[in-house]
Amino acid sequence: MQIGSNVFVAPRVHQLARAGRTTTVCLAQPKPNNTPAPKATRGDAQVPSAYKDDALRLEAQMAPSTPYDNYEFAPIRESQISRAMTSRYFADLDEYAECDVIIVGAGSAGLSCAYELSKHPEIKVALIEQGVAPGGGAWLGGQLFSAMCVRKPAHEMLDELNIAYDDEGDFVVVKHASLFTSTLLSKVLAAPNIKLFNATAVEDLVVRDDPVKGKYVGGAVTNWTLVSLNHDTQMCMDPNVLESKVMVSSTGHDGPMGASGVKRLQRLGMIPQVPGMSALDMNAAEDLVVANTRELVPGMVVCGMEVAEYSGAPRMGPTFGAMFVSGLKAAHCAMASLERQKGEAIAKANEAFAVSQ
């Protein structure tokens, strides 16, 4: 079909799908010769109005009306966002430069410890996690499977958190490990007495020497994780420090930053050895990890798989009950340490007063 002097109907088409049939709209294109042709327009093709109606109807079907049509955000300046983030973060650093408890590692044991301490709002807790995403390996079950297996009676924590599970008799199964971790994490983050510093590495310990009780842990030496991982590629960058009355080390089993607390204690001569965890034995492992969760040296409680590293207990593999209960127990060990230190401070003050009289 000829349209104008130098234009013909092209084989290239646009198809408009509609119920029951397909309509083909022909568009005009320049004739394939060396003579320049005027640019064709949709008007040149003289598309019938019925086809235009079909196109508009299809467009309306693909873009239905929603409550968010013509949605507009409130106006903002970029500097406002910058100040809102930095002012709060540095206020937190100032507030938690001295705190009651530092938890190093926000895996399932560390988060469980933080959750238990959240029930005591008078205790100020800094939770430090070297990764961007807290939760450690508890976002999945074993071998990257979804389900989380928890041996009884540790399922009582799931009941407390209102997390559903399938009861298999001596153990229960949560349909996805992420359901547990996200629920627990939301409780911890909402607590007014807990601050999470993620993407932050603990590079070393603050260790002091007391003439009476000897060496004790008094805080964490911190840095951005990306800085910690690149000291060898750039110039060494000095760290920051957070002081604590008690540290809970829950850095997991051996790895790039795993078992870092107990390995540092060994290098400092504060514990004799770190034999590492033994081969897998679920039945023995979970009981031993909970039993050996304790204040290992003054000022440092150890929980989770880091317990297996210093005690030589077996690994338990893809069962999580011991991680929950070890974290809960660590919270109570930390509170007992705080009470002991308070008693020591009172006794020291009384002794000083008696000497002054």
Side-chain angles (χ1 to χ4, degrees), residues 151-166:
R151 290 171 63 198
K152 293 181 177 179
H155 72 295
E156 293 170 355
M157 184 174 181
L158 301 176
D159 292 336
E160 185 173 327
L161 294 169
N162 293 315
I163 296 174
Y165 52 77
D166 297 327

Side-chain angles (χ1 to χ4, degrees), residues 10 90 282 314:
F90 286 107
M282 286 185 183

Side-chain angles (χ1 to χ4, degrees), residues 63-195:
S65 176
T66 74
Y68 303 100
D69 296 345
N70 304 314
Y71 192 90
E72 293 185 4
F73 289 92
I76 196 73
R77 292 181 60 196
E78 287 79 2
S79 58
Q80 291 177 281
I81 299 299
S82 179
R83 289 192 178 100
M85 292 188 300
T86 56
S87 62
R88 285 165 174 78
Y89 195 87
F90 286 107
D92 287 333
L93 282 176
D94 181 71
E95 173 69 17
Y96 286 86
E98 294 180 83
C99 53
D100 297 313
V101 180
I102 290 175
I103 302 172
V104 184
S108 51
L111 286 175
S112 297
C113 180
Y115 171 71
E116 191 71 4
L117 290 173
S118 73
K119 301 173 184 177
H120 302 271
E122 73 282 2
I123 299 175
K124 186 162 58 175
V125 181
L127 176 58
I128 304 177
E129 166 56 41
Q130 59 93 11
V132 173
W139 292 106
L140 291 166
Q143 199 171 316
L144 306 183
F145 300 146
S146 300
M148 170 182 275
C149 297
V150 180
R151 290 171 63 198
K152 293 181 177 179
H155 72 295
E156 293 170 355
M157 184 174 181
L158 301 176
D159 292 336
E160 185 173 327
L161 294 169
N162 293 315
I163 296 174
Y165 52 77
D166 297 327
D167 195 322
E168 297 286 345
D170 290 331
F171 68 99
V172 301
V173 183
V174 179
K175 68 177 182 178
H176 204 298
S178 296
L179 176 60
F180 166 79
T181 302
S182 58
T183 302
L184 182 61
L185 181 58
S186 69
K187 300 287 187 183
V188 169
L189 292 177
N193 61 321
I194 297 175
K195 168 61 185 178

